[in-house]
Amino acid sequence: MQTTQARAFARLRSSAAPVALLIALSAGPAFAQTAPAPASEPAPATAEANQDIVVTGSIFRRTNTETPSPVTVLTSETLARAGITNINDAVRSISADGAGSISTGFTNGFSAGGAAVSLRGLGVSSTLVLIDGLRSTNFPLNDDGHNAYVDLNSIPFSAVERIEVLKDGASSSYGADAIGGVVNIIMKKHFTGIDGNVEGGVTEKGDGARYRANLTAGYGDYQEKGWNVYINGEYQKDQPIAAPSRGFPYNTNDLSSIGGLDNNTGDSSLTTASTNAVVRRAPQTDLNNPFAGGVATGTYTLLGGTAQCANGTFTVAGASGGTGCKHDYGQEYGTRYNDIQPSQERYSVTGRLSVRLTDSIEGYATGSYSHSQVTIGRAPNSIRQTQPYGASPTQSSSNPGIVLPVYICSSGVNCATAADRTLNPNNPYAAAGAADPANNAARIYYAFGDIPVYSVRNNEVFRGAVGFNGDIAGDYHWKIDAVGARDNFSIENHGVLDIAGLKKAINTGAYNFVNPSLNSQAVRDMVAPVYTTPSHTSLISVDASVAKDLFALPGGNLQVAVGGQFRHETEVNNSNNPGLTKYANTSAAFGTHDVYAGYFEVGAPILKTLEVTGSGRYDHYSEGFSHFSPKIGAKWTPIKQLAIRGTYSNGFRAPTFAENNPASSYAGFVTVTPPASFQLAHGGLITAGNTNPYAQAYSLGSGATGNPNLKPEKSRSFTAGIVAEPVHNVSFTVDYYNIKKTDVIVTGPDAGTARANYFAGTALPAGYTVSAVDAPDPLFPNALPRVLIINVPFVNAGSIKSSGLDFGANIRVPISPSVTFTSRLDVTYVIQYDLDPGNGSKIQKYAGTLGPYELSSGAGTPRARGNWQNTIEFGPLSLSATTYYVSRIKEVAADEGDDISCAGGNLYGTGDKFCYIKRFIYADVSAAFKVNDNFTFNLFVGNITGEKAPLAPASYSGANYLPTWHMAGIVGRTFRAGAHFKF
């Protein structure tokens, strides 16, 4: 016995596979630097003996799951070993997920609260998500204001059997949006008995607790009785993680201590919005309108004095100087501000009935309800705001500037002459300027620290499907499916400034700017009333097909299938600011359409070693455009151990309602650093220590409306690869992909040129207009003011080329009758990701950089991303380690400027020191102990070595980290324990 075990362990030591386990367990600082999400499994799912299955991307049933198209399969076992507990983490773990991917941790996005996958980095609207091969309705909030996607958070997880990811174009089977690939979430078909999980955990910091439980109960032996019914319920709650809790450098924009720049102006500039108000004497051209302040003069005055400055004071010298309270809000904000991980609660109920109606006809009905609530905190709102997009410039409180008047009164109207007028206690110049109220207003700089800013986002999805399939005379296999879904979404807004309420609070003196802690809740509600914005989407779809074996070929029967689909979709994404009465985003999308489609597929096993497939689909949209999508594939197996495969296809993405409906509008922003010429005119280069906030990076808005003349995006895609199994239980795949997308729908492809032309004082490109500019710089009032909003068009512009390699491996080594080792590898390497604007501009190369920075969370396009899972089973004990990797990212983006050499510097400094965001490697470890057939105990340690997220640009996506790739490094080490039971 000992000799047998010794030989077994010697065999284990001599294999290459255990090296993966050692690397995973020991991944430490030597490897640390940039992260993906959890595990994937490139190996195909194995069909049960004598059971036909339908593989994603095909109509035909088959026992051989290796099709000409590359498909990654995530099994429930693989996901459990990786410690994954939701669809979001599961799908986004795939190495092919790239730029534009949306995590729940990206709380500053337009569709914050949702989560989505972006295969090949082509954007969430170019990846199609299916449930059991059928569509679901989209999330009502569009990513970046116009990209539509299915919210992964809305899909129940514990009822999932496996997830299939088709990594080439599939418009010939499924229609629009399948340019980057298809994610097909396969739910359990039959279940008997009771199965459940309970689990809880927390981070090593004691925050971010996670609690989850699920239960599935089913009855009826489908094989014996011809019917089965089950119901599944699940619940998960994630508690928030506050930004200050993770310390330097994730809690500050001041990186001077490590040789970078100090981008925190809260301790050096009196015009930076502060929770301690500062004012400066200014004229007021309309005494009834606090937005009518003019250019201020003299020194600044700190309301309430320096006794309130908990972090000390700073002084700016000169005639326009003064004293203010020091602030570094990255360190000061509490749990309601800038959460690293938002508070989230999810629950769902899923049920399915399966019935064998006759010997040749089967039917099913399934339904689900899911609810997700995400609470997202934001920084306090500044009193100085640009006007809402589309509103009059008179609604702006920043240009010419908001002021506190000399006199206040109960009505807030004509206070300078009202009988009950009193001097404004918030205006330190009121007493001395009582006789001249038009020239003694107090121009104010302030952030409402006593009014928490957060949103509660509730999303509920109702989905039902019914279908029948059967055989006619054994020659024809037919099926028909119908699905309906509705997504009800609402945002409960807290802390959003109401324009009329703000004016009234100032003119009546109701709001206390000197000591905000004395304000009543009624006053705060006057300034920022709570309100809710509802939105919804819906889908109804009917799909029918019939397949037949026509005649025998040397390799098998020639199969032919035809089908058709009807789809009705609607979207009502209401503006968060419908009356333009608040300082809130105005993006909105509306639309409805019908889609009619017909399709076919042919499978020809020409030889025993050669399989050829072909398919095509014609889609017609009620908006007036149509598209035909063909696809051809082949798989050649010259020897049993090797298969060579390839595909070629054309696809398309239909314009979203936000893009092509004139009733829709989009208002966005991007972080912009003014050019050197502008900086010099406002006090000098910021790299030389200029702290004037007017010259720093700032948010520049843009707006667009739907363009009904848009054409669909089109794509050409091909793949080529090999599938090898040199020995039993050892297989690997290598696939090359190459995608070209043309007629790309973009907002303002010349936005960078428009910005540059404004700063240079030259004409903007055709179709681009300046909507608003900032008030003059108080320190340099004669210099060019900042541009605040540039209107841009939706257009079909240029093309995108994306190419790369996918690597996958699956190893299973039975070391002894009681010991088994399993290893899975999933890696993607991006060779090319180029955008050709199509207007004669320079081609923008994104691979390996933060580009495309203006896509979703600005997380960029890492060259390599992958995960490696290794499991060893010792009888009842199973140990797994999953290692994740993202390569380094150059801290430049071609869509932010032509200079991608790092010579021009970045947010941290000049030269190569801050040129790259370092690679990141971390490992998760899980253990499962099977007590008996009914009970299993589980333990999970995430980021076991506590690797820290690499330093990345402080931007709208996160404070010095990238939430898309680095969440494990910002959350830190986590612990979870639970139990699984079944009867």
Side-chain angles (χ1 to χ4, degrees), residues 459-475:
N459 190 42
E460 59 178 11
V461 178
F462 300 86
R463 187 177 186 276
V466 61
F468 301 91
N469 71 85
D471 295 306
I472 301 175
D475 291 329

Side-chain angles (χ1 to χ4, degrees), residues 809-828:
N810 188 21
I811 301 171
R812 183 176 177 85
V813 181
I815 299 168
S816 74
S818 61
V819 180
T820 303
F821 183 84
T822 303
S823 182
R824 293 179 175 87
L825 177 70
D826 177 27
V827 176
T828 294

Side-chain angles (χ1 to χ4, degrees), residues 838-879:
N839 56 2
S841 300
K842 183 178 180 180
I843 292 177
Q844 299 175 2
K845 296 182 179 296
Y846 297 142
T849 77
L850 276 173
Y853 185 73
E854 296 183 23
L855 177 65
S856 191
S857 60
T861 309
R863 285 278 188 186
R865 180 169 180 243
N867 54 76
W868 193 0
Q869 184 180 91
N870 300 277
T871 302
I872 190 164
E873 298 169 273
F874 300 87
L877 179 65
S878 173
L879 296 174

Side-chain angles (χ1 to χ4, degrees), residues 766-787:
Y768 295 75
T769 59
V770 172
S771 177
V773 297
D774 203 352
D777 182 354
L779 300 179
F780 300 90
N782 296 323
L784 180 72
R786 294 186 301 193
V787 58

